[in-house]
Amino acid sequence: MVSEQRTAVVISVESLNAFCLRVLGKLGVSSEDARTTTEVLVTTDTWGVFTHGTKLLAGYAKRLQGGGLRVDCSPRVAIEGPAWAIVDGQSTLGQVASTFAMKCAIEKARKCGVAYVGVRNSCHFGAAGYYAWLAARENMIGLAMANDVPSVAAPGSRGAVIGSNPIAYAIPAGDRDPLLLDISIATVAGGRVYARSKRGESIPEGWLIGPDGRPTTDGGLYPGQASLAPMSGHKGYGIGLLIESLSGVITGAAVTKQVGSWLFDDPALPTDHGAAFIVIDHQQMMQAPVFAQRMAALIDEIHQSPVADSSDRILMPGEREWEHRRRVLKNGISLPEDVIGKLEEVATEVGIDLPLR
Amino acid sequence: MVSEQRTAVVISVESLNAFCLRVLGKLGVSSEDARTTTEVLVTTDTWGVFTHGTKLLAGYAKRLQGGGLRVDCSPRVAIEGPAWAIVDGQSTLGQVASTFAMKCAIEKARKCGVAYVGVRNSCHFGAAGYYAWLAARENMIGLAMANDVPSVAAPGSRGAVIGSNPIAYAIPAGDRDPLLLDISIATVAGGRVYARSKRGESIPEGWLIGPDGRPTTDGGLYPGQASLAPMSGHKGYGIGLLIESLSGVITGAAVTKQVGSWLFDDPALPTDHGAAFIVIDHQQMMQAPVFAQRMAALIDEIHQSPVADSSDRILMPGEREWEHRRRVLKNGISLPEDVIGKLEEVATEVGIDLPLR
């Protein structure tokens, strides 16, 4: 998930936090919602997942200014039972609606052992892994997923039929780092196609489906004439449809083509993304120390497995991201050039300076 | 998922059912458990998923005779809450323990909207999709998953570190066929590697990891010296660890290497597989006709999307399997030679005839 861009500028996590809060404040976002959104975006940067961190702020700013993202509303529970809820995001920032929904799922799982909370009228929510981690921080297992504008082909389709539909999970493991996986159902993210195209490199076979429905290596065709290949063909496509059903269909959100593009569509319009959050409070099923010991044994077993000739070590999901986070909390974040560019853009837009260490 | 074998013999679904019931009865399985197990195996054959249907009976017979699978026990709820349970399979047939657990999850979801049921002391459960379909038959969304003996490599590992850990879902769609996906986290199933090797064909790049941890096309190395490649690298490996945690870690079942091989290990020993079932009763969240209409619209949209030059149509997950099932319920099942061979083996073992139409 780590960005392929060259790094250029180092900024402390505190400064980046303060900058985001100021930007969101200037855009009329309440201080509570600004804190929520900032934490999602900056945490994502601390993991080194720069495609989904503070880089997104400039795009969100346009929608906040356009009115497609509302600052005068709050997400609310539309309908609920003891172990589930459907949340109406009310066109607030995706981070605000999704944090609200995941916290709701955590509270319900604390009572019932398991909970499902779906969301409609949301927007792009950034990194799914952040919401999963909210559950792991409460010593529960969390899953987070969302639908999006179609960008991924089905086996046998000529164009995109489904979004890259991210799915993430986090599993706490006692004093070890939580397992943390955050993936899209495409073979690779569209951002990596852009990055390679921009550098003039060809795209490896298997990433893109061209305008005739056959594989292509011409990154310039994406996204207008090419779509992303689903991971492992029918498997990624099939998982994408599960995510679409849980995030979009059940919740009453927009589905596939009805979802608005948070980046390209009229910023005056809501995007009506859907999302879904599932939490399991395993401590009700197995004593926490026993579960932690069993997770640690699994982690140790895999870490101690024989390593391939071509490799140094076998990573657990999220291991690279946790190491990145510890490093940058101490030394500051080396922001890639493209992120700096976007932060400068939004700083200019709202009339403040970007503080660089 | 349809078998690559040549087909040879046609048998009616009724005859195949009756044969399985007789075999299981001869092996001391109660009539209720025999009916349950037969329904799982024969339904799987009706989908054309012959790798996971009645072909498995011969292997199960050995463990039933050896005592590793018990006929004098029944699965029971070990611990439970309103929306969850952990089931002790008591070393009964995986089909018996898993059907019991999924039915428990369906009942709990009917009350709570969502339910998680984990299982320990189970065995190989056949096709995960069958259990997901049990939920869809009750007009709920079902997920089913299980762990297994390691056969899949991690990115950077030299050998297998995790099972092929199947995961399936079924989503009802009103008067349309339910969406039904049943996949392993390997790029392709081990059975397809065997089938190609047996025919003397080389294995496509990307399917297998050799003894040095690099890709290999030599199918003869599997499973002793080669392992299956995880689908989309870290993505399939990561999903595998989620399945391992929900099926094996929480439930108290065996984890990774501790899981016994239902096929190769001493048939006197239990395999202690774990499994997990999740059910969402979406009718509590959205009126059933509205949900059905929204699923139908999604299906229609994808069916009507432009088709690739190389393709006739775009399939929904399970579409091929439902078509196969309708055909064989009418015309009988064309069983592949390898299945016939296994059925003849078990027929001889228990001293009955295999009735062929």
Side-chain angles (χ1 to χ4, degrees):
Chain A
M1 296 201 289
V2 174
S3 168
E4 292 187 355
Q5 301 280 331
R6 265 184 309 134
T7 59
V9 177
V10 175
I11 186 168
S12 74
V13 171
E14 294 71 23
S15 298
L16 190 57
N17 250 312
F19 172 76
C20 291
L21 286 172
R22 284 194 67 200
V23 168
L24 289 163
K26 286 272 187 186
L27 291 162
V29 178
S30 74
S31 59
E32 190 188 336
D33 289 352
R35 271 198 305 276
T36 298
T37 305
T38 295
E39 196 190 308
V40 181
L41 297 178
V42 175
T43 298
T44 307
D45 278 344
T46 67
W47 285 330
V49 185
F50 296 116
T51 50
H52 287 70
T54 56
K55 182 182 181 183
L56 305 176
L57 207 47
Y60 295 163
K62 286 203 184 74
R63 300 199 86 72
L64 285 163
Q65 289 168 324
L69 280 171
R70 306 273 304 256
V71 296
D72 57 346
C73 294
S74 294
R76 63 178 187 86
V77 171
I79 174 173
E80 68 184 319
W84 62 270
I86 302 295
V87 166
D88 184 334
Q90 303 232 78
S91 301
T92 54
L93 280 152
Q95 284 74 7
V96 171
S98 301
T99 300
F100 176 88
M102 182 42 115
K103 287 186 173 172
C104 175
I106 290 168
E107 287 318 307
K108 285 175 180 293
R110 209 185 296 286
K111 286 179 195 137
C112 299
V114 57
Y116 160 85
V117 175
V119 186
R120 63 170 176 256
N121 293 327
S122 187
C123 189
H124 187 260
F125 71 2
Y130 173 81
Y131 311 102
W133 183 45
L134 284 181
R137 277 160 58 176
E138 300 292 326
N139 210 6
M140 299 181 193
I141 296 173
L143 282 95
M145 63 197 83
N147 69 356
D148 203 356
V149 184
S151 61
V152 179
S157 83
R158 181 182 285 274
V161 302
I162 192 158
S164 60
N165 290 11
I167 182 165
Y169 72 76
I171 305 177
D175 56 0
R176 311 298 183 89
D177 290 326
L179 267 56
L180 176 66
L181 184 77
D182 185 345
I183 60 175
S184 90
I185 59 122
T187 302
V188 295
R192 288 183 66 190
V193 175
Y194 279 126
R196 286 211 174 218
S197 287
K198 220 173 163 181
R199 292 198 301 266
E201 298 170 15
S202 81
I203 305 298
E205 184 98 20
W207 289 19
L208 276 187
I209 304 294
D212 54 359
R214 293 175 193 272
T216 178
T217 57
D218 179 359
L221 296 173
Y222 179 80
Q225 295 177 272
S227 51
L228 300 171
M231 67 166 180
S232 275
H234 75 285
K235 298 189 180 192
Y237 162 64
I239 294 172
L241 283 167
L242 174 65
I243 297 168
E244 193 73 33
S245 302
L246 297 182
S247 303
V249 179
I250 299 181
T251 61
V255 172
T256 62
K257 289 178 195 168
Q258 301 160 4
V259 180
S261 168
W262 69 280
L263 201 51
F264 298 116
D265 281 355
D266 181 353
L269 299 177
T271 60
D272 197 10
H273 281 72
F277 304 92
I278 295 172
V279 177
I280 296 177
D281 183 9
H282 54 273
Q283 295 177 83
Q284 297 179 35
M285 302 153 199
M286 170 173 271
Q287 288 186 329
V290 177
F291 181 82
Q293 180 274 321
R294 287 170 68 84
M295 286 303 299
L298 174 60
I299 294 167
D300 288 345
E301 178 182 299
I302 290 180
H303 276 161
Q304 290 158 14
S305 293
V307 171
D309 288 354
S310 54
S311 183
D312 290 334
R313 56 179 181 153
I314 308 168
L315 293 168
M316 298 307 292
E319 191 165 346
R320 208 195 312 255
E321 286 74 19
W322 294 120
E323 288 172 1
H324 191 275
R325 179 171 164 84
R326 274 189 285 275
R327 208 161 53 235
V328 303
L329 287 176
K330 199 173 151 196
N331 304 329
I333 307 183
S334 296
L335 289 175
E337 276 176 22
D338 59 326
V339 177
I340 295 289
K342 283 288 174 188
L343 293 181
E344 280 168 347
E345 181 185 318
V346 76
T348 305
E349 185 68 36
V350 303
I352 64 171
D353 287 332
L354 175 63
L356 298 175
R357 198 175 72 172
Chain B
M1 295 200 288
V2 175
S3 169
E4 294 187 355
Q5 302 280 331
R6 265 184 310 134
T7 57
V9 177
V10 176
I11 184 168
S12 74
V13 172
E14 294 69 26
S15 297
L16 190 57
N17 250 312
F19 173 76
C20 291
L21 286 172
R22 282 193 71 197
V23 168
L24 289 163
K26 286 272 188 186
L27 290 161
V29 177
S30 73
S31 59
E32 190 188 337
D33 290 353
R35 269 198 307 276
T36 298
T37 305
T38 295
E39 194 190 309
V40 181
L41 297 177
V42 175
T43 298
T44 307
D45 278 344
T46 66
W47 285 329
V49 184
F50 295 115
T51 50
H52 287 70
T54 54
K55 183 182 180 182
L56 304 175
L57 206 49
Y60 296 163
K62 286 203 184 71
R63 299 200 87 71
L64 285 163
Q65 290 169 322
L69 280 171
R70 306 271 303 256
V71 295
D72 56 346
C73 294
S74 293
R76 64 179 186 85
V77 172
I79 174 173
E80 68 183 318
W84 61 271
I86 303 295
V87 166
D88 184 335
Q90 303 232 77
S91 301
T92 53
L93 280 153
Q95 284 76 4
V96 171
S98 301
T99 300
F100 177 87
M102 181 43 112
K103 287 187 172 172
C104 176
I106 289 168
E107 286 317 307
K108 285 173 180 293
R110 208 185 296 285
K111 286 179 193 135
C112 299
V114 56
Y116 161 84
V117 175
V119 186
R120 64 171 176 256
N121 293 327
S122 187
C123 189
H124 187 262
F125 71 2
Y130 174 81
Y131 310 103
W133 183 45
L134 284 182
R137 276 161 56 176
E138 300 292 326
N139 210 5
M140 301 183 192
I141 295 173
L143 282 94
M145 63 195 84
N147 68 357
D148 204 356
V149 183
S151 61
V152 179
S157 82
R158 182 181 286 273
V161 303
I162 192 159
S164 60
N165 291 10
I167 183 165
Y169 73 76
I171 305 177
D175 57 359
R176 311 299 182 91
D177 290 326
L179 268 56
L180 176 67
L181 184 77
D182 184 345
I183 59 176
S184 91
I185 59 123
T187 302
V188 294
R192 286 184 65 191
V193 176
Y194 280 126
R196 286 212 175 218
S197 286
K198 220 172 163 183
R199 293 198 299 266
E201 296 170 16
S202 81
I203 304 298
E205 184 99 18
W207 287 21
L208 276 187
I209 305 295
D212 54 359
R214 293 174 193 275
T216 179
T217 57
D218 179 358
L221 296 172
Y222 178 82
Q225 295 176 273
S227 50
L228 300 171
M231 66 167 180
S232 275
H234 75 286
K235 298 189 180 191
Y237 162 63
I239 293 172
L241 284 166
L242 173 65
I243 297 167
E244 193 74 32
S245 301
L246 297 182
S247 303
V249 179
I250 301 182
T251 59
V255 173
T256 60
K257 290 179 195 168
Q258 300 160 6
V259 180
S261 167
W262 69 280
L263 201 50
F264 298 117
D265 281 355
D266 181 352
L269 299 177
T271 60
D272 198 9
H273 281 72
F277 304 91
I278 295 173
V279 176
I280 296 177
D281 182 9
H282 54 273
Q283 295 177 83
Q284 298 180 34
M285 303 154 197
M286 171 172 270
Q287 287 185 330
V290 178
F291 181 83
Q293 181 275 322
R294 288 170 68 84
M295 287 303 299
L298 174 61
I299 294 167
D300 287 344
E301 179 182 299
I302 290 181
H303 275 160
Q304 290 157 14
S305 294
V307 171
D309 288 353
S310 53
S311 184
D312 290 334
R313 56 178 183 155
I314 308 168
L315 294 168
M316 299 306 292
E319 192 165 345
R320 206 193 313 255
E321 286 74 18
W322 294 121
E323 288 172 1
H324 190 275
R325 180 171 163 84
R326 275 189 285 275
R327 208 161 51 235
V328 303
L329 287 177
K330 199 173 150 196
N331 304 330
I333 307 182
S334 296
L335 290 175
E337 276 177 23
D338 60 326
V339 176
I340 296 288
K342 284 288 175 187
L343 294 181
E344 281 169 346
E345 181 186 317
V346 76
T348 306
E349 185 67 38
V350 302
I352 64 170
D353 287 331
L354 175 62
L356 297 174
R357 195 175 75 171

